[in-house]
């Protein structure tokens, strides 16, 4: 059999090497082919086809209405425009509630073009992580603020502020690494907590509203371009200072992440 590359660009090994070197990588959401190509050219390492599309594209007030068909469609669109970034796709709300459902839905996202799937949760997704990992599907575990649980949490609030909650996040992060997760994503947690988790795990950690010490940073595309209806504390509009419109804004974001100048103090929770 002739050897054939599955990707001409970033792989999970690239991200692990970046962590080992003490460097940073940049991730951004995209939902279509045109933006995938712009993100490639700007040097974005990981493109997330996020279920945030339910809020920024579809106008819902949460990610809960997003379906598997939505995720498959947008993953296919991004795949067609992508040449070099690693593609991560979200398993949407209630699409990984049972084993059979998880395997079918994760496989559908991989067939649509994803290189890795992301799911939200702590200890309860450890078995799911092991199940998928054993079947060749890489996993990003999304912890901290998990928007699919917004009704249980009671809003989009910072997580891990008290000692017990912080310790639970640390313990569950290790549990998920041990179960085979390839990447951890931390959303809206205090900077010190994200720093200690990043340092104690072997796998790369991506942060959003988690301070500057995680291996990678991620933002929602519409936030970077300043077109989202709400602007959380951790968001920076990179279009304002761009001298080259949208491509310049994305390049500015990538450069700021890689030279450690974003996020700044005002974007962090303490
Ligand atoms: O769906 C999404 O865009 C996300 C990011 C906020 C990390 O999960």
């Amino acid at each position: 059999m002739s050897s054939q590359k599955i990707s001409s660009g970033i792989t999970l090994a690239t991200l692990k090497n970046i962590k080992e070197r003490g460097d940073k990588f940049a991730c951004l959401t995209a939902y279509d082919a045109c933006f995938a190509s712009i993100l490639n050219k700007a040097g974005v390492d990981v493109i997330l086809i996020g279920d945030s599309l339910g809020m920024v594209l579809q106008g819902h007030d949460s990610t809960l209405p997003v379906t598997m068909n939505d995720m498959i469609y947008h993953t296919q669109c991004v795949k067609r425009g992508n040449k070099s970034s690693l593609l991560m796709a979200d398993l949407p709300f209630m699409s990984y509630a049972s084993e059979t459902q998880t395997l079918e839905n994760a496989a559908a996202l991989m067939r649509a073009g994803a290189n890795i799937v992301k799911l939200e949760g702590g200890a309860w997704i450890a078995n799911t992580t092991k199940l998928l990992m054993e079947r060749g599907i890489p996993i990003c575990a999304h912890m901290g603020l998990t928007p699919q649980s917004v009704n249980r949490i009671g809003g989009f609030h910072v997580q891990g502020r008290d000692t017990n909650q912080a310790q639970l996040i640390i313990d569950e992060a290790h549990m998920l690494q041990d179960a085979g997760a390839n990447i951890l994503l931390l959303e809206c947690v205090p900077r010190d907590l994200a720093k200690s988790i990043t340092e104690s795990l072997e796998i790369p950690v991506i942060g959003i509203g988690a301070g500057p010490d995680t291996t990678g940073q991620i933002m929602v595309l519409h936030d970077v371009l300043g077109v989202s209806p709400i602007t959380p504390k951790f968001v920076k509009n990179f279009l304002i200072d761009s001298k080259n419109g949208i491509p310049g804004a994305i390049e500015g974001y990538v450069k700021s992440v890689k030279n450690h100048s974003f996020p700044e103090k005002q974007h962090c929770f303490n």
Side-chain angles (χ1 to χ4, degrees):
M1 200 172 79
S2 68
S3 77
Q4 199 191 348
K5 272 186 127 184
I6 56 158
S7 157
S8 53
I10 307 293
T11 64
L12 288 170
T14 319
L15 304 183
K16 222 165 171 220
N17 288 339
I18 289 174
K19 175 160 186 172
E20 280 157 16
R21 290 201 306 268
D23 289 337
K24 303 282 177 192
F25 61 85
C27 321
L28 199 57
T29 67
Y31 316 99
D32 64 39
C34 184
F35 271 102
S37 167
I38 294 173
L39 268 54
N40 279 177
K41 289 180 189 134
V44 171
D45 299 287
V46 180
I47 297 179
L48 170 67
I49 302 96
D51 60 357
S52 52
L53 69 85
M55 299 173 82
V56 294
L57 299 190
Q58 299 174 336
H60 297 296
D61 59 4
S62 78
T63 58
L64 273 59
V66 176
T67 64
M68 267 308 295
N69 282 345
D70 295 332
M71 292 309 306
I72 291 169
Y73 172 75
H74 287 282
T75 302
Q76 287 169 335
C77 293
V78 169
K79 168 74 179 170
R80 283 182 215 120
N82 180 58
K83 286 205 167 62
S84 52
S85 306
L86 187 84
L87 296 189
M88 183 188 291
D90 267 335
L91 277 167
F93 176 63
M94 286 302 279
S95 67
Y96 45 103
S98 73
E99 270 192 21
T100 318
Q101 207 189 16
T102 304
L103 290 171
E104 276 172 8
N105 290 332
L109 290 182
M110 298 298 282
R111 287 193 191 105
N115 303 115
I116 176 167
V117 300
K118 175 162 82 62
L119 54 163
E120 299 181 7
W124 76 271
I125 58 163
N127 286 342
T128 312
T129 299
K130 189 165 184 291
L131 186 77
L132 292 173
M133 182 273 292
E134 285 169 349
R135 285 154 182 82
I137 300 185
I139 299 302
C140 173
H142 181 152
M143 295 184 66
L145 172 58
T146 48
Q148 291 173 14
S149 309
V150 63
N151 289 297
R152 182 178 50 75
I153 297 170
F156 296 98
H157 306 309
V158 181
Q159 300 295 299
R161 275 204 149 129
D162 71 66
T163 318
N164 290 343
Q165 214 190 28
Q167 191 56 52
L168 185 64
I169 295 176
I170 294 170
D171 293 344
E172 295 191 331
H174 281 268
M175 195 182 290
L176 293 174
Q177 174 176 265
D178 294 345
N182 303 82
I183 299 179
L184 181 77
L185 188 148
L186 287 175
E187 177 165 355
C188 290
V189 297
R191 173 186 175 163
D192 289 350
L193 176 60
K195 184 174 192 290
S196 78
I197 293 176
T198 306
E199 287 171 355
S200 68
L201 291 184
E202 279 170 32
I203 57 175
V205 177
I206 301 173
I208 174 166
D213 305 298
T214 53
T215 330
Q217 294 290 330
I218 189 157
M219 292 263 278
V220 170
L221 177 65
H222 294 58
D223 289 344
V224 167
L225 300 179
V227 294
S228 296
I230 45 162
T231 310
K233 179 184 165 75
F234 54 83
V235 162
K236 178 171 174 183
N237 176 345
F238 283 84
L239 192 57
I240 288 177
D241 294 325
S242 168
K243 293 191 175 55
N244 182 28
I246 289 174
I250 313 289
E251 281 162 23
Y253 164 69
V254 172
K255 194 170 157 208
S256 304
V257 169
K258 294 195 179 186
N259 70 16
H260 303 213
S261 63
F262 176 80
E264 297 163 58
K265 209 169 173 191
Q266 72 265 26
H267 305 119
C268 302
F269 301 105
N270 292 308

